Structure formats: structure tokens, C-alpha cells
Amino acid sequence: MHKRYHRLLMCVTVALPVLSATIALTFVLRGAIVDVRQREAENILFYYREKIVLQMQGTINEATALAQTATTIRTMGEDAPDWLASAADPLLQRPEVRMVGLFEGDTAAGMLPLEKFGNLAGRDLREFSYVYTMAKVVKELVVEGPVVLPIDPEGPAAFLFIQPIVEGDAYLGLAAVALEQDYVLDQLGLEGLYAQGFDYELWRVEPQNGNKEIVASSHADADFSQAQKAAFYLPTQWTLSIQPRDGWLSGGQRLGLALICFLSQGVLFSLAYLLYRYTRQKRVLREADAVDRSTGLYNRCGFTAALDGWLRDGGRPVTLFYFSIEGYTQVARLIGPEEEETYLKSIPARLGEYIHSPHLAGRLDEGSYLIALRDNLEEQVRDDFARGLSLELLLQVRLDGEKSFLMARYQYLFCEPGGGRAADWISRLIRAYYDRVAEESPVRMLTEKCRQLIEGKNDVVFDEYTDLEMMELSKTFNRYRKQVEQLAYSDPVFSVGNRLKLLRDVNMLISYDKKRPFSLFCVDICAFSQYNELFSAEIGDEILYEVVRRLSRPFGSYLYRINGDVFLGVSVTEESPTSFAARLQGVFAGPVTVGNLSFPLQVRVAACVYPEHGDTPGVLLDHIQSALRFAKESGDLLCIYNDHLEEMIRTEADILGRLKAAVREETLEVWYQPIMRLAEGRYSAAEALVRLPDGKGGYFSAGQVISLAERNGIVEELGDYVLRRACLFMREGGQALGLKRIGVNISVQQLLVGNSAEHLLGLIRSTGVDPRLVTLEVTESILIQSIDQAALALGELREAGVHIALDDFGVGYSSLNYLSNLPVDIIKIDRSLTRQILTDRKQNALLHSIVEMATINELLVVAEGVETQAEQQAIAQSGVHYIQGFYYARPMPGEALSLFLNCQ
């Protein structure tokens, strides 16, 4: 019965890999056939995509010619109704032309033929479909269809070709031509795809709601989820999908694959049977007195004789290992002879799979084994080998319904050739083993391993013990350790490594081979926050899931999520960082699709190399983050750490050290720039500005100093210092000089801490200055991003009399619509807007609009960065209340400001 079971088990063991191999072969062949057909479909798609775009934009597009005619006629001064009828008459003679229309600005100037569409003339652009407004916005040809034309709902569907009329960047109007649906589709020649054996589906994304709208399809009920697709833009996204009518794999091809699979199975089963017969005969011939009958290994006599032969050869040294499974006899009686026999018969195979060098293996008694390796192993390698082999000899049993494990303990000894008899070496090894066992305590060993874990070691293993209670305790420690490591080293959302795992893995790579270089790559998704803001956090997470899937291909298990949308990967290949970074950029060449939404992603990549750019995980991480920060500040999409960045880091470290010392020793300079009140013709306010000497007779950039303070957590201390010094200046002389307000820049970090308003008010009052004399300036872009958190603190400050100014207005987030909703009293227009006031008519108009809107909302307006008299005159005419800039005065120390104001 046992032999029959054994044979059945062997047949199953052979059958599984044979079936797996043949199935794998079938899938490979199937994939190759499908790949060929898909490449053929891709070539056809490329041709039809180019053909469709060419037809839509050129051959059947009559709107562009009409728009060009309108531009020419416009220069001649003719009215649209006077020439449109004659220009459109040849078009309307064609049966496929349904409508010809012309818009001047946002008004329909003429819609032909008059009997159907004449009453549309004079209507506003907004009364028509969204696609007309879209053409106005994008300023290029827009194609929409099939649609039902207005006032003709019973007529056939048509395609709209809408061409904007522009002059330079100015929008003048639109030209529109509607062609019958059947004519357009016939020109596209999609039936040629069907004739070639392909089902097709042409669809587009409806721009208002993002829904899929079928334009043409060869089979209304066909599933095109596995089809080849090609996208193009008109400018909405259009997609052409095709797939073979008989599937990517035809019936004849399936039959051929099945035949190949059957023949392959026959050949492999024949080879497996021959191998089985050969192995069986070899095992029978090997039976002898020197072999343990239960395992097929040497017994003690056979092993001793074989080892003597090795030692007499005088060749390479021999390492001798002894393994003892303590408690084996007791457990063997409990599990019964059949299970024991199964275990013993498996030992030769286990040893053969683990040991790949020449070796001798013997069984001394029921639970003891000897292994000899003809190899000169180092101490650590011997210990690793013995530990691994002890796991191979693991005895797994089930006692009282619970799994238990018996581990083999080990001892090894180095045998010099010619240094004695094998029996003496074996006796010496066994004696050493029992001497060590007598000294070891399981409790002490567990305690030591726990201590090693506390110290941060990663290679600690809790072994199995013969004592059942100790064994259960050891298993519990192992389970708990794995759970803690999973929590500590894994990102809980995306199941990739976190920052701690990165530091651990990089440290292990360095420890394994200090001379082997590897590269770190940091990948940041540009402007990712917009997806969460415009859509939802769920959409943002789905995008990040796709980012993880794409990055897993080049990085594998060496992928980590550092924070938010920033990922870091480690490459151990020899590929250059520049080439690898280019491949990473290529990974995101295609858009990410979430449901019916498609998101094009742009990523910024930073890189550094070990050991060239750092020899510890912490240094490498700091350097790659510096490279990413530099890339963001410079607007580059790729930055590899180099000497320039090294110098920048040293400079920043110098600035940070000087800044901390200056704040601590109260030597940091605070300068002031006066602000002119136009209505009074005098300086009634000033702005406090920080100045940090560079030790070379100059000063570091204030922006660089503040940025470093924000990144290193000392901006609150710096802000408090400047605010206190500015308030003291007002108390000690600022008011007497005629200043009614002193402005101080504060970071949003100062507003987001607990009790920020109470803290700032307390600091102002401690200097003896009325809060109404203080203006706190907050950068516009930062305030808008944190408005919900900062609004409460700003409200408390305003109630106490402190004025709030919105600094850098106009940099990029400005919207006149939200001025009335912001908790501010003053807006300061940024230099980027005022410097264009003389050269850009739109900027001039925008400045006037800002002043008018601010006046309506009872806000004061300060124009910053005014440098010339011409700028001053133009800006003064706009109605601003204050002007600040080099035209009046540069920033100066407090003493110099006092002299300056006294001379006015």
C-alpha cells in the first residue's frame, strides 16, 4: 500500500512540472501569436489614425478655409452678411453640407441656409453648444459629432467643424461648417477595417462631462476592452479601437496549440519515465553495509571510512559538521513509524538541494548527522552554512492537533589533512558539541536575542527548541517580530517600503559590499496636489497606485514611499544615472487612466550615487533630497547630485549656522524700507526686512535666509526676533518720525501652531507698542493654500487691531473674485506685475481692476518694486494708496531711516 502511494505521489510529482512546462510552452506560443497580430493591428491603427486626423483637419474640413476668407474680408472692411452668402453658396450646393455659420466675436453674424437657421443670427455664443465656447478658448480647430443641429432636430446627425478666427493672440470670431454624418464617416473609410477582418469602434470623450460617446462602430455589442487603441485630439480626445473579428487567436491556431501541448506532454512523460527507471536502479545498486537503510546516507562506519579516504588524499582541507536533533527519539515514538520513515527518506534530497559542493553525509544514530565538506570555509561562511542546513533538517510534526518543530543544533570543526584519523576528528567534534550544550541555557539565549533586537540588529533568528514550552515561546517571539517589522517598515496604503525600510536596506547594501556602487532615484509627481483638489482623495490614491505599479518595474522590491507623492528607488545595476533617469521619465510618457478620466503626469527625478555622493544612508538621503529641492527651485525635471550642489549645501549650512548664532546673540540686523503715502505726499509706513551679513562685507539673500529658516524649523524664532525688533523701533522713535505702521513678514508656519494669535499679540504688547501700529504681511500663495487653518488666527489678530497685508499679490494665484473673502486689510502688488505696467496694456488694465476691486472691498493697495519715475507716474495714476520701491528709498538700518525721515 505504501509503495502504491509512493508511486502515485511520484507520478503526481512528475506530472505537475510536465503539465506546468507544457502549459507554459502553450502560453508562450499563444503570446507570440497574439503579439504578432497585435503589432499588425498597431500598424493598421497608426495608418488610420493619421488618415482620420488628416481628413478631419484638412481634406473634409471646410471651416478653416471659411475662417481664412473671413479674415481676408475683414481687412477689406466688408460686413459678414454681405459676403457670407456668396462665399457659402458653393458649399451649400453640396448635398453633404448641412449648415454654414459665422460668428463675429461672441455673436452669430450669419447662419445659412436662411430658411432653416437664419433665425439663429444675432444670438450670443453662450446660447450655442459648449463646443463653440471650447473653440474660442483653445483657439484651434474643434471637431464635434455626430450631433443634432439646433432648430432642425428631425434632420440627420452631422459633424461640426468649428475654426476660430484669430489675429495674433486676439480672438475675433468663429467659422462653422456642419457636414452630414454619413458623408464624414464614408470619407474616413472605416469600413476598410471591417474588410480587413477587424471590428472597430471610434469614440470620443465628451468635454463637458467626460463621458464616452460612440462615433462609429462595426458591432454595437462588441467588447473592445482587449482591443488595440490609438488616441488623437481634435482637440477633444478621440480614440479608435480595433480587434480581429475572430479574436486575437483564431480557431485553427487554438487547435494547433492544443496539438503541440499534447505532443510535448508525451515526450516529457517518456523522458521522466526513463529517468525514474535509471534512478531506481542506481538506488538498488547503492545498498550496502556502509549505508543507513532508513535514509540512504552513510552510517557511522561508512562515513568514517569515506572521511579517512579524504584525509589521506592530502587535498583541500575538510570542514566537519555535526547536527543533533535533541528529543528526536521521543517525538519519533509519538508520530509513528510511517511519518518518521517519510522524514528520513526526505533527508538525502534535502541535503542534495542545499549542498552544491563535494560532500559526505552520514547518519550516526536516530537524531544525529555528520556532514563533511571539502572546502576551506571562512568562519562566518561555516556558521551560515550550518544554520541553513539545520533548517533543512527541520522536523515538522503535529502533536495534539498543533504544529511543532524540532530544530537541529550544530557544531563544526576544521580538519587538517594528515592531522589524524577520521574517528578521532569525529569524537573530538561530538565532545565539543556536548561541552557547548552544557554551557548554553535556552532562557539566556532568548534574552540575548531580544537584546540584539533592541540594539537594532536585523539578522536575529529565534531558533526552535526541544523543550515544548521554550519552542512555543520562540515561535511567539518570531511571529511578534514579523508583525512589528511589517508595521515599522511598510507604507500602510500602498504596500511598499517606507523611509525606515529605505535606510535599513541601503545600510544592508553598504554592509554587504562597501565597494559596490548603486544609485538612488527620487521621483516627485509635479503639481500632484491639484488632482486631490480638483477631483478627490480617492482619485489621487488611484493615481498613486498606478505610479507604484509603474515604478515597481524598474525598482522591484527596492521601491519606497518617502512622503505624499514622493517615491524613492534604489538601482543596483551598472546603468548610468542619466540613462536610468531617462527610462523613469519614459515610464510616465503615457497618461494614467482612472475610470473614464485620463491624467497626463510629469515627474521630476533626482539622483545620487554611492559611494561617490555619500557613504551612509542618512547622507545619501540628505543629498538626494537636496538635489530634488534644487530641481524644484530651478524648474528642471532631472537633477543628479554634483559638486555644485555640494557647494550649495555647504553654503546653506554656513548661512544656517550664522543665522542661529545671530538670533541667539541678538546681532541679526533688521533694516527698514519706507513706504510713500501718495495722498499725503509723505512716508507714513515702513517694512522691516532681515539682513544677515555673509562675513565678506555683504549680505546673504533675505529670501534664501527665510527659506532655510522654514526648512530647518527656526522660522518661528526668526519671525519673533524681527517682530520684536520692529516693534521696539516703533516705540523708540518710529512714531515720532511720523510712521503710522510698521510692516513685518510672518511665515504661515507661525500661524499654524497652537495659540499663534495669542503668542504674536503677547509679543507685540510686551514691547509697549499699540497693535494698531503693526501690519503683519503674509505671502499670498502660502495664505491661499492654508486659508482654512490660518483664517482663525488672522481673525483674532484683526480683532485686536493688527492689520493684515497680503504680500506678493499677482505672482500666480491672484483672483479678483476672492478679495472680499480674505481676512486682510491691505494688498501689496508684486514687482512682477508693476514692472510690466509701461510695456503691457493688459497688465496696466489689470492693475486698475485690482485697485477698483480693492477699493470696493475697502482694502488699501501698496505697489511694490517701483524703481523709475515713469513707473511711479503710471502706477500713481491707477489709484494705489502707497508706493514702495527703490525710486523712493532702498532698505536701510534704523539709524539711517531716522536721518532719512528727518530730512524729508
Side-chain angles (χ1 to χ4, degrees):
M1 183 66 184
H2 178 71
K3 290 183 178 180
R4 289 177 59 188
Y5 175 77
H6 181 71
R7 289 175 186 151
L8 178 61
L9 181 61
M10 182 174 296
C11 291
V12 172
T13 305
V14 173
L16 286 177
V18 168
L19 291 174
S20 300
T22 53
I23 291 173
L25 176 62
T26 302
F27 274 103
V28 170
L29 293 176
R30 181 187 183 280
I33 295 171
V34 171
D35 185 61
V36 170
R37 301 199 71 184
Q38 287 180 340
R39 284 200 297 271
E40 176 188 359
E42 288 177 357
N43 293 333
I44 294 174
L45 267 177
F46 177 81
Y47 166 77
Y48 272 88
R49 180 189 64 189
E50 296 301 312
K51 177 181 178 181
I52 291 173
V53 173
L54 179 62
Q55 292 280 61
M56 289 293 196
Q57 293 181 344
T59 308
I60 61 178
N61 170 26
E62 300 294 343
T64 299
L66 185 62
Q68 292 172 349
T69 302
T71 302
T72 304
I73 294 298
R74 184 176 182 275
T75 60
M76 299 170 62
E78 294 188 22
D79 294 331
D82 297 332
W83 63 266
L84 179 61
S86 59
D89 183 68
L91 291 175
L92 294 173
Q93 295 299 320
R94 293 163 53 181
E96 69 272 13
V97 177
R98 297 287 317 289
M99 183 193 74
V100 176
L102 180 70
F103 288 77
E104 288 187 348
D106 290 343
T107 304
M111 305 296 288
L112 302 175
L114 292 174
E115 60 271 22
K116 285 188 177 181
F117 306 102
N119 61 347
L120 295 178
R123 294 192 180 183
D124 189 81
L125 185 68
R126 290 174 293 180
E127 299 180 52
F128 291 79
S129 71
Y130 172 78
V131 70
Y132 289 83
T133 304
M134 180 180 179
K136 172 185 175 181
V137 173
V138 302
K139 295 181 181 178
E140 63 182 82
L141 175 69
V142 176
V143 180
E144 183 190 45
V147 297
V148 177
L149 296 178
I151 312 182
D152 189 18
E154 301 300 326
F159 281 82
L160 274 175
F161 293 77
I162 304 174
Q163 175 66 50
I165 304 172
V166 296
E167 183 174 322
D169 289 330
Y171 163 80
L172 301 178
L174 296 171
V177 177
L179 300 179
E180 284 190 0
Q181 173 184 353
D182 292 343
Y183 169 78
V184 173
L185 294 179
D186 183 66
Q187 293 297 311
L188 297 183
L190 294 177
E191 287 301 318
L193 285 169
Y194 192 84
Q196 297 180 57
F198 290 91
D199 278 329
Y200 65 87
E201 181 184 69
L202 178 64
W203 58 276
R204 66 185 185 89
V205 177
E206 214 290 323
Q208 279 191 291
N209 54 32
N211 290 336
K212 174 180 178 181
E213 185 169 326
I214 304 298
V215 176
S217 178
S218 62
H219 196 304
D221 298 326
D223 179 11
F224 288 89
S225 61
Q226 301 299 320
Q228 292 292 98
K229 299 177 177 62
F232 51 93
Y233 298 86
L234 294 170
T236 57
Q237 179 177 322
W238 292 58
T239 302
L240 177 60
S241 304
I242 67 172
Q243 62 187 15
R245 293 202 301 271
D246 57 350
W248 293 108
L249 204 65
S250 66
Q253 290 168 337
R254 291 190 181 93
L255 181 60
L257 288 176
L259 182 60
I260 291 173
C261 178
F262 178 79
L263 294 176
S264 300
Q265 288 180 6
V267 173
L268 291 176
F269 275 122
S270 299
L271 291 176
Y273 177 75
L274 292 175
L275 180 61
Y276 165 74
R277 292 296 301 270
Y278 170 77
T279 304
R280 184 178 179 184
Q281 291 174 3
K282 185 177 180 180
R283 186 172 64 248
V284 172
L285 294 174
R286 195 174 54 192
E287 295 291 338
D289 292 340
V291 173
D292 176 73
R293 297 184 181 276
S294 298
T295 60
L297 304 176
Y298 286 116
N299 55 25
R300 182 159 189 161
C301 293
F303 184 87
T304 303
L307 182 58
D308 269 327
W310 274 19
L311 295 176
R312 284 194 301 269
D313 288 346
R316 288 182 297 174
V318 177
T319 304
L320 189 61
F321 296 86
Y322 175 70
F323 296 90
S324 177
I325 304 176
E326 297 185 5
Y328 176 85
T329 302
Q330 178 185 0
V331 172
R333 291 170 183 166
L334 292 173
I335 64 176
E338 290 187 0
E339 190 170 345
E340 180 188 11
E341 182 180 358
T342 301
Y343 166 73
L344 294 175
K345 292 295 184 183
S346 70
I347 288 178
R350 298 186 185 188
L351 297 178
E353 291 176 1
Y354 185 79
I355 307 173
H356 303 289
S357 58
H359 66 279
L360 300 175
R363 183 188 184 209
L364 270 65
D365 53 35
E366 289 186 324
S368 300
Y369 299 87
L370 284 170
I371 305 293
L373 292 183
R374 184 170 275 179
D375 217 337
N376 188 13
L377 303 177
E378 296 180 358
E379 182 70 21
Q380 184 60 46
V381 178
R382 293 179 198 169
D383 194 68
D384 292 341
F385 174 83
R387 185 182 296 112
L389 194 53
S390 69
L391 293 175
E392 291 295 327
L393 295 174
L394 175 72
L395 173 58
Q396 177 180 335
V397 297
R398 183 174 293 276
L399 300 176
D400 297 329
E402 294 187 2
K403 285 186 178 180
S404 297
F405 303 91
L406 289 185
M407 292 287 294
R409 303 180 69 177
Y410 58 86
Q411 184 75 29
Y412 50 83
L413 189 65
F414 183 70
C415 304
E416 290 287 349
R421 297 183 308 145
D424 295 334
W425 286 112
I426 293 172
S427 297
R428 190 182 307 174
L429 175 64
I430 296 174
R431 187 165 53 252
Y433 168 80
Y434 283 108
D435 289 342
R436 181 174 61 84
V437 168
E439 296 176 356
E440 291 180 348
S441 164
V443 175
R444 186 168 66 248
M445 293 175 64
L446 280 176
T447 304
E448 175 62 21
K449 291 180 183 295
C450 290
R451 185 188 62 78
Q452 292 174 359
L453 280 179
I454 294 172
E455 292 176 352
K457 291 187 177 181
N458 300 315
D459 57 349
V460 178
V461 177
F462 291 95
D463 301 322
E464 301 290 344
Y465 297 92
T466 55
D467 182 275
L468 295 182
E469 290 185 355
M470 292 300 300
M471 182 168 58
E472 186 61 30
L473 180 60
S474 179
K475 291 193 304 186
T476 302
F477 273 131
N478 270 323
R479 288 195 298 268
Y480 180 71
R481 174 194 173 187
K482 290 179 181 178
Q483 182 179 6
V484 170
E485 286 185 347
Q486 177 67 19
L487 294 174
Y489 295 116
S490 177
D491 183 272
V493 179
F494 300 100
S495 298
V496 295
N498 57 12
R499 182 188 296 264
L500 287 177
K501 190 172 188 298
L502 165 70
L503 296 174
R504 187 186 73 167
D505 289 353
V506 171
N507 186 59
M508 290 178 65
L509 285 173
I510 295 174
S511 301
Y512 181 75
D513 187 351
K514 295 184 181 296
K515 296 182 179 180
R516 182 185 181 185
F518 57 85
S519 303
L520 273 69
F521 295 88
C522 197
V523 179
D524 173 52
I525 304 173
C526 301
F528 175 76
S529 60
Q530 65 179 332
Y531 300 116
N532 286 333
E533 294 168 359
L534 296 177
F535 296 93
S536 65
E538 290 76 11
I539 293 292
D541 284 347
E542 288 298 325
I543 294 175
L544 291 181
Y545 276 119
E546 177 60 22
V547 170
V548 169
R549 283 191 289 270
R550 295 190 184 187
L551 290 178
S552 295
R553 290 195 290 269
F555 291 120
S557 61
Y558 287 126
L559 176 63
Y560 314 88
R561 185 186 185 210
I562 302 304
N563 58 62
D565 60 324
V566 179
F567 295 86
L568 196 147
V570 178
S571 171
V572 296
T573 66
E574 297 181 359
E575 185 175 0
S576 69
T578 303
S579 173
F580 196 94
R583 286 205 296 119
L584 290 179
Q585 296 281 6
V587 167
F588 293 95
V592 172
T593 301
V594 180
N596 292 327
L597 302 175
S598 182
F599 301 97
L601 295 186
Q602 187 177 59
V603 298
R604 182 175 286 109
V605 179
C608 67
V609 180
Y610 168 86
E612 180 180 349
H613 300 144
D615 56 0
T616 65
V619 171
L620 289 170
L621 184 57
D622 288 343
H623 286 179
I624 199 170
Q625 289 179 326
S626 298
L628 181 63
R629 187 175 71 249
F630 179 81
K632 288 182 177 180
E633 293 172 353
S634 62
D636 296 334
L637 294 180
L638 171 62
C639 180
I640 298 176
Y641 190 84
N642 52 33
D643 294 339
H644 175 70
L645 283 173
E646 184 76 36
E647 178 63 27
M648 182 187 71
I649 291 174
R650 284 198 294 268
T651 301
E652 290 185 349
D654 179 46
I655 295 174
L656 193 60
R658 291 177 182 270
L659 177 61
K660 290 180 178 179
V663 172
R664 183 176 59 253
E665 298 167 5
E666 297 190 354
T667 58
L668 182 64
E669 299 181 24
V670 178
W671 288 18
Y672 305 90
Q673 185 175 28
I675 304 175
M676 171 62 70
R677 170 71 171 178
L678 294 180
E680 301 175 0
R682 67 182 186 87
Y683 299 103
S684 62
E687 180 180 359
L689 303 167
V690 65
R691 289 292 184 268
L692 178 66
D694 60 7
K696 302 177 183 178
Y699 294 89
F700 293 111
S701 162
Q704 187 178 21
V705 171
I706 295 172
S707 175
L708 277 173
E710 289 178 336
R711 294 202 308 266
N712 290 273
I714 62 171
V715 69
E716 296 176 47
E717 185 178 358
L718 174 62
D720 289 353
Y721 177 90
V722 176
L723 179 59
R724 183 172 60 255
R725 290 286 297 271
C727 290
L728 290 174
F729 173 78
M730 285 293 289
R731 189 193 69 184
E732 294 170 359
Q735 281 185 273
L737 293 170
L739 297 180
K740 298 180 179 180
R741 292 194 187 94
I742 188 72
V744 181
N745 288 281
I746 62 172
S747 168
V748 73
Q749 294 181 21
Q750 294 175 263
L751 294 176
L752 299 184
V753 298
N755 300 321
S756 59
E758 181 181 342
H759 171 75
L760 293 171
L761 287 173
L763 193 152
I764 293 171
R765 289 164 176 161
S766 68
T767 63
V769 170
D770 188 338
R772 291 174 294 180
L773 300 178
V774 178
T775 299
L776 297 181
E777 301 183 7
V778 184
T779 302
E780 180 207 4
S781 58
I782 297 178
L783 175 61
I784 298 307
Q785 295 174 21
S786 309
I787 186 64
D788 293 337
Q789 298 92 329
L792 182 61
L794 292 177
E796 294 181 20
L797 290 168
R798 295 179 74 199
E799 288 180 5
V802 176
H803 293 81
I804 305 299
L806 189 65
D807 200 9
D808 296 340
F809 188 84
V811 171
Y813 289 80
S814 305
S815 172
L816 301 181
N817 296 327
Y818 65 62
L819 282 179
S820 60
N821 298 321
L822 293 177
V824 298
D825 309 289
I826 303 167
I827 59 172
K828 302 189 72 175
I829 300 176
D830 187 70
R831 168 64 179 160
S832 62
L833 191 153
T834 58
R835 68 184 175 187
Q836 303 180 58
I837 198 71
L838 298 176
T839 59
D840 193 323
R841 180 172 54 83
K842 293 182 180 179
Q843 296 289 7
N844 196 326
L846 177 60
L847 176 62
H848 283 76
S849 298
I850 292 174
V851 174
E852 291 175 6
M853 185 64 73
T855 303
I856 293 173
N857 290 284
E858 299 181 349
L859 300 176
L860 297 176
V861 181
V862 181
E864 295 184 297
V866 178
E867 298 184 356
T868 67
Q869 183 176 4
E871 290 178 348
Q872 189 274 342
Q873 292 174 350
I875 292 173
Q877 292 174 3
S878 70
V880 301
H881 306 94
Y882 296 88
I883 293 181
Q884 176 182 354
F886 291 174
Y887 173 74
Y888 288 108
R890 292 177 177 270
M892 61 191 76
E895 298 81 1
L897 179 62
S898 299
L899 294 174
F900 177 81
L901 294 178
N902 283 326
C903 294
Q904 299 300 311

